[in-house]
Amino acid sequence: MYKVRIDKFEGPFDLLVYLLENARMDIYDIKVAEITEQYIEYLKEMEEFNLEVSSEFIVLAAVLIRMKSYMLLPRVTDTGEVMIEEDPRAELAGRLSEYVRIKKIATILKDREEANYAIYEKPAEDMSKYLDDPDEILLASEDQMVSAFILFLTKKRKVEEVTKRYQSVRREKDSIESRISYMVKKLELKFKEGKGRIPFKELLPDDADKYDVTLSFMSLLSMIKQQTCDAEQDKNFGPITITRKETQNVQQ
Amino acid sequence: MYSNKTMKSALETMMFMLGEPLEVKDAAQILESDKDIVRGLFKELQNEYDQEGRGIRIRQIEDSFGYVTFAENEIFVEKLCTPVRVKKLSQAALEVLAIIAYRQPVTRSEIDSIRGIKSERVIDGLLDKDLIEVKGRSEGIGRPLIYATTKEFLKKFGFESLKDLPEVAEYEELRRNPDEEDFSGQLSIDFNDSER
Amino acid sequence: MYSNKTMKSALETMMFMLGEPLEVKDAAQILESDKDIVRGLFKELQNEYDQEGRGIRIRQIEDSFGYVTFAENEIFVEKLCTPVRVKKLSQAALEVLAIIAYRQPVTRSEIDSIRGIKSERVIDGLLDKDLIEVKGRSEGIGRPLIYATTKEFLKKFGFESLKDLPEVAEYEELRRNPDEEDFSGQLSIDFNDSER
């Protein structure tokens, strides 16, 4: 019989090796029927103690049971000769043997861990004063730049989305299209009044802010592109003057 | 009672572990010995290290002792530390570099407008590192400086040529379209104009 | 060219400053000397410290050397300060570590199959403790990660290199030569008896 071990087993092999040890059984000569019974008995006890019995334990139980029934069957041929087959226990024995070896190594490691527990390193000294004037090695790679760039683009897009939503609320009516029609109307009015050269400033709404100026300017550019009018600027930072599109009729 | 040999060994261990000078009175208490005896052992050790020309020495500060490195070996410490430092480019530097790489040649105001933030200092840093260079002046108003990446940039990032810059849909919006008109210069005048 | 005395002194200074083991190749470069010569000097120093029964010793890890405290002086360290204690490894962690140490590089499924149980969480714990590391991927189906032990592993268990891992015979060999060594204690299996 075996004593009940309280501490948990590290796995089905751990349990099986323990049972073999208690039964003084050789790994390469397992009495399958006997050990299977003990193994299953133990799993039941583990359940009674509310110990976790993971699926691996059950799998090994199934392997043992299968092996047990296989070994009960007579292995004879039609002519009554006993078939020589590989020992069905061989594979399991091989794995248990490797597991036992690993456990022995684990024990050696444990002892060495203990022995080296008393040895200390110390942290590095403060070397900051020597780091003031380093030979700089610039660490750079394509990946680094690309990932930084993607991060930037993502951030930029998020900000743009937020800004767009914010501006679209504030400036709902002030799209380029609406500004263009506003400016075209104003221009036509001025042209009708007989003015040939209209300063850009006169096309701005009253109390125009930076946004209005930009929007008007963008609209003007579109208007030039659409050949609605022409514009001139004599010098850097100079006033912009809008004129009637001279080739308008020819183009159309 | 510990032997002198054990006590000296213990003092070495403790000085090593403590990281700051070890008080004679504390050491004496731990070693269950007399302060004068312990002070004497510290001084013996100090002499041994000096005599043997060790690279670490024992320095006395008031009534405490601690390890210091041998001052004349400073040159080796300098050499030891120097190659340790590896500099990485900041996120900002990488962003500006990417913008210049994809849109070159490009002016500072274009970079600023893409990033939505002033990039002057970052640009200066990249110029210092020889990753970008001034390629002349734009024909635009105010004739601002234009920037481009250098050979050093290709080398550092492992590109054979600018054609090797990865093509990803996301970048296309930033890649300069040759047919696109450049309004940025005129736009900035307009701002100035309206502020006058 | 520096004299051996100067170089040894420099090695002491550098080991002290660095805190972690100093690579022979780095030291050789700084001292403008040959790696074999420098390694020889490190070993001379190591001997001197042992011979003189110093409270600090020189430990070799692979091809690097660093100062550590003399293990037997632990009692004084504990009286002086409360050193940071790492929790001891569990039986499961030791088993997984044993498998990785002896079979590296090894995949998780190999570890699982030797232990007869899933080891994923134990492996994660060992990765966290820096005792093992991912060494890449296996060429096998699914290209699973492969694991190997680290320098930290060598330090923790006091191995100079992986060559120092003790030779442990297969169970089968033990069984066939029961008189050769007495494994019964460690294995808790009486082999002699089982031979009957």
Side-chain angles (χ1 to χ4, degrees):
Chain A
M1 273 310 287
Y2 54 87
K3 308 180 290 288
V4 172
R5 200 169 88 174
I6 310 297
D7 45 316
K8 98 184 219 298
F9 288 96
E10 292 302 336
F13 288 170
D14 197 20
L15 171 56
L16 190 55
V17 167
Y18 169 76
L19 293 174
L20 290 171
E21 168 198 335
N22 261 289
R24 298 184 165 250
M25 224 181 268
D26 189 304
I27 284 176
Y28 281 88
D29 189 21
I30 299 173
K31 296 182 182 72
V32 181
E34 186 184 331
I35 217 70
T36 303
E37 194 183 310
Q38 287 189 10
Y39 184 88
I40 291 166
E41 190 62 31
Y42 209 101
L43 292 194
K44 281 182 191 156
E45 274 182 45
M46 281 168 77
E47 272 172 344
E48 274 169 34
F49 282 104
N50 284 322
L51 291 172
E52 192 200 348
V53 180
S54 58
S55 58
E56 288 95 342
F57 283 92
I58 315 292
V59 169
L60 185 58
V63 168
L64 288 171
I65 291 165
R66 209 173 130 249
M67 206 179 283
K68 185 178 125 186
S69 44
Y70 188 85
M71 288 181 75
L72 288 173
L73 297 172
R75 314 309 286 171
V76 279
T77 61
D78 298 340
T79 52
E81 282 173 284
V82 175
M83 279 171 66
I84 298 163
E85 283 187 25
E86 212 184 317
D87 189 337
R89 303 171 298 175
E91 200 213 324
L92 178 64
R95 293 184 66 182
L96 287 179
S97 143
E98 178 62 13
Y99 180 67
V100 165
R101 177 167 173 261
I102 287 303
K103 270 184 82 87
K104 178 168 154 42
I105 296 165
T107 310
I108 294 170
L109 290 181
K110 193 182 170 71
D111 292 346
R112 293 195 69 111
E113 182 188 24
E114 205 79 48
N116 283 277
Y117 217 47
I119 293 172
Y120 301 97
E121 287 180 297
K122 77 166 191 47
E125 297 295 301
D126 177 15
M127 295 191 271
S128 53
K129 73 166 176 165
Y130 302 105
L131 296 171
D132 288 346
D133 187 24
D135 283 352
E136 284 190 356
I137 302 165
L138 187 65
L139 198 71
S141 71
E142 180 182 337
D143 289 350
Q144 206 188 8
M145 186 179 83
V146 168
S147 62
F149 200 29
I150 288 171
L151 183 70
F152 160 69
L153 288 172
T154 317
K155 242 177 13 192
K156 186 177 154 74
R157 196 163 297 130
K158 271 188 194 145
V159 170
E160 275 169 357
E161 268 166 31
V162 171
T163 320
K164 222 183 280 165
R165 213 171 301 136
Y166 172 71
Q167 282 188 341
S168 69
V169 172
R170 193 167 148 255
R171 299 275 176 188
E172 229 176 281
K173 294 168 195 160
D174 291 347
S175 65
I176 284 199
E177 285 75 10
S178 72
R179 179 59 56 96
I180 288 174
S181 66
Y182 167 82
M183 286 169 70
V184 168
K185 267 182 209 152
K186 218 162 178 183
L187 263 181
E188 275 167 9
L189 212 72
K190 302 238 175 211
F191 286 142
K192 265 182 202 160
E193 283 170 22
K195 290 182 184 166
R197 300 171 61 80
I198 297 127
F200 174 63
K201 272 183 182 170
E202 288 189 24
L203 292 183
L204 297 177
D206 298 331
D207 303 325
D209 60 12
K210 220 181 208 179
Y211 179 85
D212 283 308
V213 176
T214 312
L215 188 63
S216 298
F217 185 73
M218 297 299 287
S219 304
L220 175 61
L221 293 174
S222 296
M223 286 158 68
I224 295 169
K225 230 178 186 173
Q226 292 160 12
Q227 320 235 334
T228 315
C229 62
D230 262 342
E232 289 170 20
Q233 186 179 36
D234 294 329
K235 60 176 195 294
N236 292 349
F237 305 109
I240 296 168
T241 310
I242 296 151
T243 57
R244 207 185 277 270
K245 182 81 194 169
E246 278 156 13
T247 53
Q248 200 166 357
N249 295 326
V250 182
Q251 294 269 325
Q252 285 171 346
Chain B
M1 282 294 283
Y2 300 109
S3 70
N4 279 0
K5 199 181 147 98
T6 302
M7 286 203 280
K8 278 161 79 175
S9 171
L11 292 178
E12 289 177 313
T13 301
M14 291 191 288
M15 281 192 291
F16 181 77
M17 278 304 284
L18 199 57
E20 58 191 59
L22 174 60
E23 294 287 342
V24 170
K25 70 167 175 10
D26 295 340
Q29 201 189 352
I30 289 168
L31 297 173
E32 296 157 39
S33 181
D34 187 80
K35 279 205 287 182
D36 291 335
I37 292 172
V38 171
R39 193 179 301 108
L41 294 175
F42 267 126
K43 295 207 168 179
E44 274 182 37
L45 279 172
Q46 195 174 35
N47 268 329
E48 285 170 27
Y49 280 67
D50 288 346
Q51 294 297 313
E52 293 166 12
R54 295 264 170 231
I56 51 176
R57 301 295 170 93
I58 294 161
R59 183 172 61 183
Q60 178 173 8
I61 297 184
E62 289 174 332
D63 206 24
S64 63
F65 293 82
Y67 278 122
V68 289
T69 55
F70 179 47
E72 288 175 27
N73 284 351
E74 197 180 13
I75 177 174
F76 301 113
V77 178
E78 274 172 25
K79 283 188 183 169
L80 179 71
C81 300
T82 306
V84 171
R85 172 87 157 255
V86 175
K87 269 213 87 166
K88 282 187 186 170
L89 288 171
S90 66
Q91 170 71 19
L94 287 164
E95 277 173 23
V96 171
L97 203 49
I99 293 166
I100 296 175
Y102 281 91
R103 291 196 67 120
Q104 58 191 308
V106 63
T107 64
R108 202 183 73 209
S109 68
E110 281 179 274
I111 298 167
D112 290 352
S113 93
I114 291 169
R115 291 188 69 223
I117 192 168
K118 285 215 189 305
S119 308
E120 188 166 5
R121 287 180 59 184
V122 185
I123 291 170
D124 288 345
L126 291 172
L127 285 168
D128 280 349
K129 290 189 178 68
D130 197 24
L131 292 169
I132 60 166
E133 61 190 347
V134 173
K135 261 286 154 106
R137 286 182 181 278
S138 153
E139 288 303 311
I141 291 142
R143 299 191 37 78
L145 295 175
I146 51 176
Y147 301 93
T149 54
T150 59
K151 260 190 181 154
E152 186 65 20
F153 162 78
L154 295 177
K155 222 168 81 185
K156 278 269 148 63
F157 286 88
F159 295 120
E160 246 177 60
S161 78
L162 285 175
K163 286 178 199 134
D164 286 351
L165 284 174
E167 291 213 24
V168 178
E170 278 165 314
Y171 304 150
E172 292 311 307
E173 61 192 73
L174 276 178
R175 206 184 266 275
R176 184 182 289 282
N177 177 354
D179 304 328
E180 180 192 323
E181 285 174 66
D182 181 12
F183 295 122
S184 57
Q186 284 148 324
L187 261 178
S188 69
I189 332 162
D190 224 64
F191 286 138
N192 294 332
D193 209 43
S194 71
E195 272 166 3
R196 266 190 238 146
Chain C
M1 284 294 281
Y2 300 109
S3 70
N4 281 0
K5 199 182 147 96
T6 303
M7 287 203 279
K8 277 161 79 174
S9 170
L11 292 177
E12 289 178 312
T13 301
M14 291 191 286
M15 279 192 292
F16 186 81
M17 288 298 288
L18 205 55
E20 62 193 55
L22 172 61
E23 294 288 339
V24 169
K25 71 165 173 17
D26 294 340
Q29 201 189 351
I30 290 166
L31 297 173
E32 296 157 38
S33 181
D34 187 79
K35 279 204 287 181
D36 291 335
I37 293 172
V38 171
R39 192 180 302 109
L41 295 174
F42 267 124
K43 294 206 170 182
E44 275 182 34
L45 281 172
Q46 196 176 34
N47 269 331
E48 287 170 24
Y49 280 66
D50 288 346
Q51 294 297 313
E52 294 167 9
R54 295 266 170 230
I56 51 177
R57 299 296 170 94
I58 294 163
R59 181 174 65 179
Q60 179 173 7
I61 302 282
E62 289 175 330
D63 208 24
S64 62
F65 294 82
Y67 278 124
V68 290
T69 59
F70 178 46
E72 288 174 28
N73 285 352
E74 190 195 15
I75 176 178
F76 303 114
V77 175
E78 280 178 345
K79 282 184 182 167
L80 180 73
C81 54
T82 320
V84 186
R85 283 291 194 184
V86 201
K87 253 183 80 181
K88 287 196 182 155
L89 293 171
S90 68
Q91 180 63 27
L94 287 165
E95 282 182 17
V96 171
L97 212 43
I99 294 167
I100 297 175
Y102 279 77
R103 298 204 151 210
Q104 57 189 305
V106 65
T107 65
R108 202 183 72 207
S109 69
E110 284 177 84
I111 298 168
D112 289 352
S113 113
I114 292 170
R115 294 189 64 227
I117 194 159
K118 287 208 191 311
S119 307
E120 189 166 5
R121 288 178 59 183
V122 185
I123 291 171
D124 288 345
L126 291 172
L127 284 169
D128 279 349
K129 289 191 178 71
D130 197 23
L131 291 169
I132 60 167
E133 63 189 346
V134 173
K135 260 286 150 102
R137 286 181 181 276
S138 151
E139 289 301 311
I141 293 153
R143 303 199 23 84
L145 295 175
I146 49 177
Y147 300 95
T149 56
T150 60
K151 221 174 183 179
E152 195 57 35
F153 164 80
L154 296 176
K155 273 187 193 172
K156 187 172 182 69
F157 295 95
F159 295 119
E160 228 179 78
S161 78
L162 287 176
K163 287 180 197 127
D164 284 356
L165 287 174
E167 299 242 349
V168 179
E170 296 282 344
Y171 176 90
E172 209 173 345
E173 293 169 41
L174 307 183
R175 191 179 60 130
R176 283 179 190 148
N177 309 297
D179 303 326
E180 217 164 71
E181 273 178 85
D182 178 20
F183 291 105
S184 56
Q186 285 121 329
L187 286 177
S188 312
I189 294 181
D190 198 327
F191 297 103
N192 295 320
D193 233 291
S194 66
E195 279 289 358
R196 85 212 116 117

